[in-house]
Amino acid sequence: MRRVSRRGMEMKRICWLIVASLLGACTPAPSFTDGAGKQIGLDQLGGKPLLVNYFAPWCAPCLREMPLLAALHREGQIGVLAISFDPASPADLKVLARQYHIAVPLMIPDDEANLPFPRPTVLPTSYLLDREGKLQETLVGELDEQKIAALKARLAAQP
């Protein structure tokens, strides 16, 4: 068995970091399918902060916060999209939007393992992504007017 010098170990570590970086750069951008069955990449939603909200129709706080999320989406400074916590098809998304009067885009992640945030264990949970699609903040629990105002103030204070 050969002993590897410190310099050799350091070179080996640097090589692995380079390989890991290259593999990460080759990973496709996360994508979603909307209610019309159209695939939309996370990179297409960039250019402004994005609030990704996980909800379920059986979650009363999730449904209560939907009008506030719709208002935030209409303002246009922050993008908003909602992901059904339960398995859903594009047709199911249309039914959910109509049945519960959801006015934000409903999406299905094409590969949840590829998203820049974990699948939540508590509902409602929202993830704030920056303009580049990187996770900035995790918001657990029902969003109300005060929490949304604080979120907008934090974003306005950023360069």
Side-chain angles (χ1 to χ4, degrees), residues 94-131:
K94 286 182 177 180
V95 170
L96 286 171
R98 191 172 42 254
Q99 183 176 0
Y100 295 102
H101 309 288
I102 298 172
V104 299
L106 296 180
M107 303 283 183
I108 302 165
D110 293 332
D111 181 7
E112 275 191 301
N114 198 20
L115 295 175
F117 46 81
R119 181 172 171 81
T121 56
V122 176
L123 291 179
T125 294
S126 296
Y127 298 103
L128 179 66
L129 308 180
D130 67 11
R131 289 170 175 79

Side-chain angles (χ1 to χ4, degrees), residues 10-112:
E10 187 64 25
M11 290 303 291
K12 187 176 181 179
R13 187 174 334 138
I14 290 170
C15 287
W16 278 114
L17 287 172
I18 291 170
V19 168
S21 296
L22 291 172
L23 288 175
C26 295
T27 303
S31 61
F32 303 92
T33 300
D34 67 9
K38 180 181 172 194
Q39 194 173 42
I40 299 169
L42 184 60
D43 53 349
Q44 293 173 277
L45 301 169
K48 60 183 170 184
L50 179 66
L51 189 67
V52 179
N53 174 265
Y54 271 85
F55 81 101
W58 46 262
C59 169
C62 298
L63 298 176
R64 279 195 304 263
E65 71 182 3
M66 280 298 167
L68 293 172
L69 294 174
L72 183 64
H73 180 67
R74 279 190 305 273
E75 288 173 9
Q77 299 301 312
I78 302 170
V80 179
L81 66 86
I83 297 175
S84 176
F85 183 79
D86 298 328
S89 68
D92 294 335
L93 294 183
K94 286 182 177 180
V95 170
L96 286 171
R98 191 172 42 254
Q99 183 176 0
Y100 295 102
H101 309 288
I102 298 172
V104 299
L106 296 180
M107 303 283 183
I108 302 165
D110 293 332
D111 181 7
E112 275 191 301

Side-chain angles (χ1 to χ4, degrees), residues 49 130-132 136 153-159:
D130 67 11
R131 289 170 175 79
E132 288 79 40
Q136 295 299 303
R154 285 192 302 276
L155 287 172
Q158 293 179 354

